[in-house]
């Protein structure tokens, strides 16, 4: 029997959908032969014996989003977690002893499978993303999520790529909003997490007096069932909550050609946030760093990331320009595909159109931000790597009149909202 023939899409067709579809979609009957379908909590409790970190939250209907900085954390095995859920907290022993099952939810979220099963690499092949047209992508390029009813991820958008989510056990409800609704979601970078922009709104129980523009947000809701795969397009906002007693899911972020400029923005954001929030002051005592960030990187490290991101972006644009100028029948060699983690340590290039290049050039001319150094002048390599971005350069960009005007408008908008 040809199992692939019974699936609704070939790998090539599925990849085309993922590359071009602009709205969320649920794939059915694509995972019926995936070994990972057996990754229930019961199964994982036997093969995953090391302790993992669980995020603990209070079950309530508060109108404020519960960010990770406001949760409690414990280290426990999946077996201890399973025992806690089966007993429903009646026998409070072990790591969960301070948290009654009926009052709290638990979530082992964002766990890299490559780290969880580094001593059992054969398990990686249980997740078959190659069925979606990504050969070689499997559990090694995925993360695991284990939670109880009520466990949730605050509403946010991912700065990079698109997302494929495979539901294994239980159901999860997804609330999705298109990128155009960003102003209605009141974005914030505090708490700071690299590559995640959070919403200040509790999208399930919104405070419409505080966030009136949320009325215009267009929500797309789907309850993902076991065996289904959800496609989340680039920059779609999403709030996710577990609706069954126990849920297990696996996801993989798929890098995209347009991510390189987003990585410049993320490197810039990290540099600014760390510079301002690391300064001791009366209003810098909040928990501004998300627990997913293991430490505060130094200014030197952040500037290095920024320069790497800019160089990768400009190198790709240079390659694209050369590619357009090649004679027909002389295609340039393609760069090897790279599977990048969701951080700034790896920079993948994009494929900007000539129109995009022209608009950028026009903006640079209006802003007076063209590099003063020409090829062959001091500070420029033979390859035209361009000038190194220094801290003084950063200040010059950030206090540019156009930037100050925009920030001033944002400040005044915030004040008017507070007074209304």
């Amino acid at each position: 029997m040809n199992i692939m023939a019974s699936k609704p899409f070939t790998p090539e067709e599925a990849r085309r959908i993922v590359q071009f579809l602009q709205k969320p979609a649920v794939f059915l009957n694509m995972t019926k032969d995936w070994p990972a379908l057996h990754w229930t909590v019961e199964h994982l409790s036997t093969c995953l014996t090391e302790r993992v970190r669980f995020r603990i939250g209070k079950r309530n209907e508060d109108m404020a989003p519960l960010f990770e900085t406001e949760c409690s954390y414990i280290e426990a095995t999946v077996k201890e977690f399973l025992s806690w859920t089966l007993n429903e907290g009646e026998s409070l022993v072990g790591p969960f002893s301070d948290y009654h099952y009926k009052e709290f939810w638990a979530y082992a979220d964002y766990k890299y499978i490559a780290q969880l099963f580094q001593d059992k690499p054969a398990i990686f092949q249980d997740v078959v993303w190659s069925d979606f047209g990504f050969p070689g992508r499997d559990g090694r390029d995925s993360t695991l999520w284990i939670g109880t009813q009520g466990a949730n991820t605050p509403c946010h958008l991912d700065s990079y790529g698109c997302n494929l989510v495979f539901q294994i056990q239980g159901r999860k409800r997804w609330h999705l909003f298109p990128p155009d609704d960003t102003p209605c979601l009141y974005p914030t970078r505090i708490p700071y997490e690299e590559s995640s922009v959070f919403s200040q709104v509790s999208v399930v129980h919104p405070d419409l007096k505080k966030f009136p523009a949320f009325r215009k947000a267009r929500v797309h809701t789907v309850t993902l069932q076991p065996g289904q795969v959800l496609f989340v397009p680039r920059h779609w906002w999403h709030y996710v909550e577990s609706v069954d007693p126990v849920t297990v899911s696996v996801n993989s972020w798929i890098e995209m050609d347009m991510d390189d400029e987003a990585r410049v923005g993320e490197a810039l954001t990290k540099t600014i946030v760390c510079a301002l929030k690391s300064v001791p002051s009366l209003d810098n005592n909040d928990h501004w760093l998300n627990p997913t960030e293991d430490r505060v990187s130094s200014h030197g490290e952040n500037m290095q990331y920024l320069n790497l991101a800019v160089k990768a972006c400009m190198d790709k644009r240079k390659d694209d320009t050369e590619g357009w100028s090649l004679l027909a029948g002389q295609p340039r060699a393609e760069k090897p595909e790279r599977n990048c983690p969701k951080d700034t340590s790896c920079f993948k290039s994009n494929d900007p159109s000539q129109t995009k290049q022209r608009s950028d050039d026009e903006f640079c001319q209006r802003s007076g931000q063209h590099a003063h150094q020409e090829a062959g002048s001091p500070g420029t390599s033979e390859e035209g790597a361009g000038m190194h971005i220094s801290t003084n350069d950063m200040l010059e960009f950030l206090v540019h009149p156009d930037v100050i005007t925009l920030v001033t408008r944002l400040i005044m908008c915030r004040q008017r909202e507070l007074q209304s």
Side-chain angles (χ1 to χ4, degrees), residues 43-60:
H43 173 76
L44 293 172
S45 67
T46 63
C47 61
L48 183 56
T49 57
E50 298 294 325
R51 290 181 177 269
V52 296
R53 186 167 71 161
F54 285 86
R55 179 160 60 95
I56 309 293
K58 184 82 171 178
R59 299 181 189 273
N60 56 47

Side-chain angles (χ1 to χ4, degrees), residues 10-116:
T10 66
E12 294 75 21
E13 290 170 337
R15 177 152 185 165
R16 259 196 311 274
I17 293 172
V18 169
Q19 287 178 325
F20 296 108
L21 192 62
Q22 299 298 311
K23 291 184 178 182
V26 176
F27 287 86
L28 308 178
N29 302 317
M30 289 290 289
T31 64
K32 59 182 67 176
D33 58 339
W34 288 22
L37 271 177
H38 304 294
W39 285 16
T40 62
V41 169
E42 291 78 9
H43 173 76
L44 293 172
S45 67
T46 63
C47 61
L48 183 56
T49 57
E50 298 294 325
R51 290 181 177 269
V52 296
R53 186 167 71 161
F54 285 86
R55 179 160 60 95
I56 309 293
K58 184 82 171 178
R59 299 181 189 273
N60 56 47
E61 294 186 354
D62 193 350
M63 288 196 293
L66 186 63
F67 292 119
E68 283 100 324
T69 51
E70 301 168 295
C71 294
S72 301
Y73 292 85
I74 63 171
E75 301 285 332
T77 64
V78 178
K79 186 175 182 179
E80 290 169 329
F81 166 80
L82 178 61
S83 177
W84 180 63
T85 61
L86 293 176
N87 294 328
E88 294 191 349
E90 296 304 326
S91 301
L92 299 178
V93 294
F96 292 95
S97 59
D98 293 334
Y99 305 99
H100 198 285
Y101 178 79
K102 294 181 179 179
E103 297 178 13
F104 294 89
W105 50 258
Y107 209 5
D109 51 358
Y110 212 138
K111 307 303 179 191
Y112 283 104
I113 293 174
Q115 296 174 359
L116 294 177

Side-chain angles (χ1 to χ4, degrees), residues 26 120 406:
V26 176
K120 303 172 183 176
L406 176 59

Side-chain angles (χ1 to χ4, degrees), residues 146-219:
I146 304 172
T148 63
Q149 184 178 19
N152 62 81
T153 303
C155 186
H156 69 285
L157 67 78
D158 300 313
S159 302
Y160 312 139
C162 59
N163 196 359
L164 287 174
V165 186
F166 169 39
Q167 193 64 29
I168 297 174
Q169 182 177 7
R171 297 168 299 159
K172 277 187 174 178
R173 184 174 295 117
W174 287 70
H175 303 254
L176 302 118
F177 303 85
D180 289 347
D181 283 359
T182 293
C184 306
L185 273 298
Y186 297 83
T188 180
R189 296 311 301 260
I190 304 296
Y192 172 76
E193 176 181 288
E194 196 278 326
S195 79
S196 293
V197 182
F198 291 106
S199 169
Q200 299 178 59
V201 185
S202 176
V203 299
V204 179
H205 304 284
D207 184 342
L208 295 178
K209 183 177 181 181
K210 187 175 182 180
F211 305 110
F214 183 72
R215 290 187 177 91
K216 300 178 182 179
R218 297 159 294 175
V219 63

Side-chain angles (χ1 to χ4, degrees), residues 277-294:
K277 296 301 291 183
S278 297
V279 177
S281 67
L282 293 177
D283 61 350
N284 261 1
N285 296 320
D286 58 321
H287 298 292
W288 63 273
L289 191 68
N290 219 40
T292 51
E293 299 292 314
D294 56 356

Side-chain angles (χ1 to χ4, degrees), residues 2 79 140 178 291 328 331 368 381:
N2 187 346
K79 186 175 182 179
R140 191 188 303 271
S381 69

Side-chain angles (χ1 to χ4, degrees), residues 324-399:
W324 279 106
S325 64
L326 290 176
L327 295 176
Q330 295 179 323
R332 60 184 172 90
E334 292 293 331
K335 292 185 178 180
E337 187 77 13
R338 293 189 296 177
N339 291 325
C340 299
K342 195 186 176 201
D343 62 27
T344 51
S345 62
C346 181
F347 301 101
K348 193 174 185 298
S349 301
N350 76 345
D351 188 17
S353 66
Q354 290 175 306
T355 302
K356 175 70 164 69
Q357 183 66 58
R358 283 198 301 271
S359 64
D360 286 350
D361 288 343
E362 292 168 0
F363 172 79
C364 289
Q365 290 169 359
R366 290 197 309 271
S367 304
Q369 294 297 334
H370 269 302
H372 299 296
Q373 294 170 305
E374 301 296 335
S377 63
T380 306
S381 69
E382 293 181 0
E383 290 79 13
M387 56 184 288
H388 175 79
I389 298 174
S390 67
T391 300
N392 283 344
D393 294 326
M394 282 278 294
L395 285 174
E396 183 179 345
F397 302 145
L398 293 174
V399 298

